[in-house]
Structures are given as structure tokens and as C-alpha cells.
Amino acid sequence: MGANRVPFLAFTTDSESAGLLRQFIASHGWEGNLVYEGDINTAADFLKLHPSPQVLCVDIISAEATPASLDRLADVCDPGIKVIVSGKVNEYSFYCWLVEAGITNYLLKPFSLHALEAAYRKAIELPSAEISHTPEIKKDAETIAVIGSRGGVGATTVSVNLAWILANHFHQKTALVDFDPQLGTVALAVDLEPSKGLRDALEKPDRIDGLFIDRVMTKAGEYLSVLSTEEPLDDYVNASEASAEALLKQIKPKFSHLIIDLPRVLSPFTRYALKYANHIICVSEYTIMGLRESLRYLDFCRDILKVHSPIFIANQVGLAGKHEIPKEEFEKGLGQKVAFDIPFTLDAHASANSGEIWADTAKNAPATKVLQAIAGHFVDGIEVREQPSKLKGLLSLLRGEK
Ligand SMILES: Nc1ncnc2c1ncn2[C@@H]1O[C@H](COP(=O)(O)OP(=O)(O)OP(=O)(O)O)[C@@H](O)[C@H]1O
Ligand SMILES: [Mg+2]
């Protein structure tokens, strides 16, 4: 590295990120003006006239504009520079594309100081990679993994209804995949025969190709396709990380949305889906057990998988009446907002028992309206923001020091 290289330089368009970047710079004891207002193009103009830093952090404006901007940057940067990109594009395929183009990390805005520090550490530890002149961006299915904080909270109900609404209300080409090959209930919930032949492929992932996916997925209407299987309980189904990788790789290019109903037990197979989904929804209930398990999933996502926190949705709200933990207490214990409340709806049981989809049979029910709102966020490409609520009360003991 040249002696006149500064360790770090950032170009950002918003004051919140600028504040965090300054805090980060101060925490490393670096001096001088290292944060500039602007984006990747401003950085390219600047670096035409100045030496490259060791690590550069730049904002991008959109996925579409990034290839040309990266090309400009590649023309002016010194070899060995590490580039961290930050932006609001929340798509796994875009992240993969950036990595392929030689970018060391991507920070989804708004990012935290912790995420910035982790990205920086990764950048300085990685061997040098040239920023390459850019491959084409391909859009893959927006992937939403749904997990229940506890058994029976309604993870499958949420998965099935979201998929149905995306397909039939928003006309999005949607895949609904059950990631529990033995105890999954998706096929039953949508009244379809379980798929045949998946188990063999899960155990030999190199057999999973596009043709196989076309054969094994069952159509449930013009826009919805389902993959759900019911392998015998006395068998051991060896679904590995490689099986999950092969499944997602083949399914994602064929759809605009992919909903994955995940079992709560984490295996390498299910972890892969959590790690590489664009969004994780954690369905819970307002109980102390629901809170404890939600916290464990939250910590797992943040600390072990190092992905974004799940979107928390409370289901069957009102079922236990005054015995439920109040929402604000739950949020206080979790340290995060609950984005949506789905009311307890007796008719859900009737639909479930007759293999009907609730969002179809009760289009105007309050619970369906909430599910439509959740689905709408993913269609618009807007991230789900939690509803504001006042935080008060105890239960923080569940979080330990947090
Ligand atoms: N909002 C609701 N109101 C009333 N009943 C509901 C609601 N949501 C789900 N249910 C019912 O609760 C039961 C369990 O739901 P579901 O199978 O979706 O839970 P799950 O979390 O997927 O369970 P599992 O742990 O077995 O995977 C079903 O009978 C379903 O119809
Ligand atoms: Mg389920």
C-alpha cells in the first residue's frame, strides 16, 4: 500500500450514515476529513485527482445505475483498494452480483455502527480483489423465509396466505416451498398432493436443475407453484446445505417471489434459507415463551448468521385476551418493534380444516387485510417498517444486558 494512502474514505448521501461514519472514524483514531457528501460517482470524480484509500465506502443510488458507476470507479482506483458499497437495494441477487464484481461487502441502509465495523474488518482481512468491469445484473425472486417462534403460532398460515395473496391479489409469479420434508403441512394447507421425488434430489443435490424444479413443483393457479413433500417419519432425510443451495439457485430465477415455510429446528438445510433470504419473518404470539424464542431467533440472526433482524409479526392476537403480554411489553423485552398484529380469527380453523385459503375465503376479514398489507410491502419493494409504539414496562430481564 502506498504511504500516502488514507486508511478509509467514505462518500454518502445522507446525514444519518455520515454521522455513523464519523463515529466509526473517530473510534479508529483516524484524522482529517474522511467523509464526503456524495455517491459512488462523486467518489470516482474525487479519486481521479487523489490517491485511493485503503478502504473506500460509497453509496449507490440504484441497482440499475451501479454497473456503470462501478466501471467508472474501476478506471480511477489504485490496485488493492477494498470497496464497501452501501445502499437501499435489498436483493440477494444484487449482493451476489456486487461480490462477483469485486466488492468486499454491502451495507443495507440504514446500517449500524456494528455492521460498518464488521464490513471494515472483513475488508482489511480479505485478500485483494480487483473491481471488475461489470457482469450483467439478473433479478431473482424476492425471498421471504417464514419461521415460527413456537410450534403452532401460525407460521404455515402466514406463509400460505402471503403466497396466495402475492399470486392472486398482486399477480406475482410466486413459489411456496415447505422446508420441512417430513412434518411440513403446506401441501395439506393448500389441498394439494405432496410432491414426489424431492427427497432423492435433496440427498443428491447435483440432480436439482431447472427441469427437475418444473417437474416437482405443483401449480396451484396461474401464478402460484408449490413444493411440499411428506417423507415417512421413520426415515432419515439427509437434506444438507448443498441441497438448500441447489434448490434456491434453481427456483429463484423462475419466480418473482419465493416464500419459504421453515421448521423451527435449525439444520444446515434450514440455516441456509435463513441466511440467504432477502427477508425473514418471525411469527410469534404475545406470550412469555413466544418472547423468549423470538429473542433467541433475533440473536441467532444477528450474531451468528449476521443477517438483518427478522420482521416480527404477532399472530392469533386477542386469543388469550387479558392474559397476553401487552404489545409494548413484548417489544420492550425484544428490543425491537412488532411490525404487524394478525387478529385471532375463528374462521381460520374452518378454512384450515377444509383445505381452503383464508385470504381467499374471507377477503375482507381484518386478518386478511393485515396479510394483504404485509404482502404489499414486498411487492412494492419497500421494506416493512414497524408500527410505532410506546415502550414501557419490564421484561427486559429476558434480554440480559441488552
Ligand atoms: N390468526 C389466527 N386465528 C385463528 N387461528 C389461527 C390463526 N393463525 C393460525 N391459526 C390456526 O392455528 C393452527 C396452527 O397454525 P399453523 O399450522 O399455521 O402453525 P405453525 O406455526 O405452522 O405450526 P407448526 O409448528 O406445526 O409448523 C391452525 O389450525 C391454523 O388454522
Ligand atoms: Mg407449520
Side-chain angles (χ1 to χ4, degrees):
M1 306 250 169
N4 54 349
R5 278 188 159 190
V6 291
F8 183 86
L9 199 58
F11 290 79
T12 188
T13 51
D14 71 284
S15 54
E16 190 186 342
S17 305
L20 272 170
L21 284 157
R22 288 200 181 92
Q23 266 187 53
F24 165 77
I25 286 162
S27 73
H28 282 265
W30 296 324
E31 287 179 353
N33 183 15
L34 302 179
V35 181
Y36 289 86
E37 191 180 340
D39 58 22
I40 184 169
N41 295 318
T42 327
D45 291 340
F46 181 92
L47 294 174
K48 249 190 239 167
L49 308 171
H50 298 84
S52 298
Q54 290 168 16
V55 177
L56 175 71
C57 181
V58 283
D59 267 12
I60 49 112
I61 302 304
S62 67
E64 293 71 31
T66 301
S69 304
L70 269 187
D71 280 348
R72 284 190 62 202
L73 197 62
D75 286 339
V76 298
C77 280
D78 296 337
I81 186 174
K82 309 286 178 57
V83 181
I84 298 167
V85 164
S86 58
K88 289 191 167 168
V89 182
N90 191 4
E91 282 170 22
Y92 174 61
S93 54
F94 180 64
Y95 170 77
C96 293
W97 176 86
L98 284 173
V99 172
E100 208 182 315
I103 298 305
T104 56
N105 219 327
Y106 179 58
L107 289 168
L108 182 66
K109 284 185 164 189
F111 55 83
S112 64
L113 198 54
H114 177 74
L116 176 59
E117 180 64 37
Y120 173 73
R121 283 188 183 284
K122 187 178 162 205
I124 54 173
E125 280 160 16
L126 276 181
S128 291
E130 294 295 315
I131 313 172
S132 57
H133 285 262
T134 48
E136 202 188 319
I137 293 183
K138 201 160 132 279
K139 210 163 160 30
D140 270 352
E142 188 78 353
T143 302
I144 303 149
V146 183
I147 198 157
S149 68
R150 308 196 65 222
V153 285
T156 300
T157 305
V158 169
S159 303
V160 165
N161 281 277
L162 273 186
W164 191 93
I165 292 166
L166 285 165
N168 293 285
H169 191 86
F170 292 106
H171 295 168
Q172 301 296 307
K173 205 170 170 222
T174 304
L176 170 61
V177 176
D178 194 329
F179 251 53
D180 186 337
Q182 285 173 301
L183 290 168
T185 53
V186 163
L188 190 62
V190 293
D191 199 20
L192 287 176
E193 284 294 314
S195 314
K196 299 267 187 302
L198 180 63
R199 184 247 176 94
D200 206 28
L202 287 179
E203 293 183 343
K204 299 180 192 81
D206 52 341
R207 290 195 185 169
I208 301 176
D209 59 14
L211 280 176
F212 173 81
I213 294 297
D214 291 341
R215 186 166 59 76
V216 85
M217 291 196 82
T218 311
K219 287 284 266 181
E222 190 180 348
Y223 295 98
L224 182 61
S225 296
V226 178
L227 183 52
S228 176
T229 183
E230 277 172 27
E231 298 303 334
L233 291 184
D234 57 345
D235 284 2
Y236 173 68
V237 180
N238 183 19
S240 63
E241 185 177 288
S243 330
E245 186 182 355
L247 265 187
L248 297 200
K249 186 172 161 213
Q250 295 300 336
I251 293 175
K252 286 175 67 159
K254 292 176 180 285
F255 295 90
S256 73
H257 288 78
L258 165 58
I259 305 284
I260 305 175
D261 182 18
L262 281 173
R264 287 178 313 119
V265 177
L266 297 174
S267 64
F269 180 61
T270 51
R271 271 178 187 227
Y272 186 90
L274 276 178
K275 177 130 181 114
Y276 292 105
N278 303 106
H279 313 268
I280 299 169
I281 290 179
C282 181
V283 182
S284 191
E285 57 188 11
Y286 285 134
T287 62
I288 196 85
M289 292 81 168
L291 173 56
R292 194 192 73 160
E293 302 306 337
S294 298
L295 263 174
R296 293 176 76 195
Y297 282 118
L298 175 61
D299 288 344
F300 177 75
C301 290
R302 229 173 17 198
D303 302 339
I304 308 294
L305 296 182
K306 304 210 183 303
V307 296
H308 287 285
S309 303
I311 297 158
F312 286 93
I313 294 178
N315 188 30
Q316 311 202 18
V317 175
L319 172 64
K322 65 183 169 59
H323 301 294
E324 277 173 2
I325 297 182
K327 179 173 182 164
E328 56 271 29
E329 295 273 319
F330 190 95
E331 290 177 329
K332 170 87 176 166
L334 190 60
Q336 190 170 314
K337 302 284 171 55
V338 175
F340 290 96
D341 285 348
I342 304 174
F344 177 74
T345 309
L346 258 186
D347 288 346
H349 288 280
S351 304
N353 285 333
S354 52
E356 287 172 326
I357 314 275
W358 191 16
D360 186 19
T361 51
K363 288 196 175 61
N364 293 317
T368 308
K369 294 286 172 203
V370 179
L371 286 157
Q372 284 170 356
I374 301 168
H377 279 282
F378 296 119
V379 175
D380 293 334
I382 302 165
E383 267 199 283
V384 178
R385 297 274 175 220
E386 299 89 353
Q387 293 156 344
S389 78
K390 289 184 202 130
L391 301 184
K392 58 181 179 195
L394 295 171
L395 291 172
S396 53
L397 69 157
L398 273 168
R399 284 200 68 74
E401 86 296 342
K402 284 168 209 161

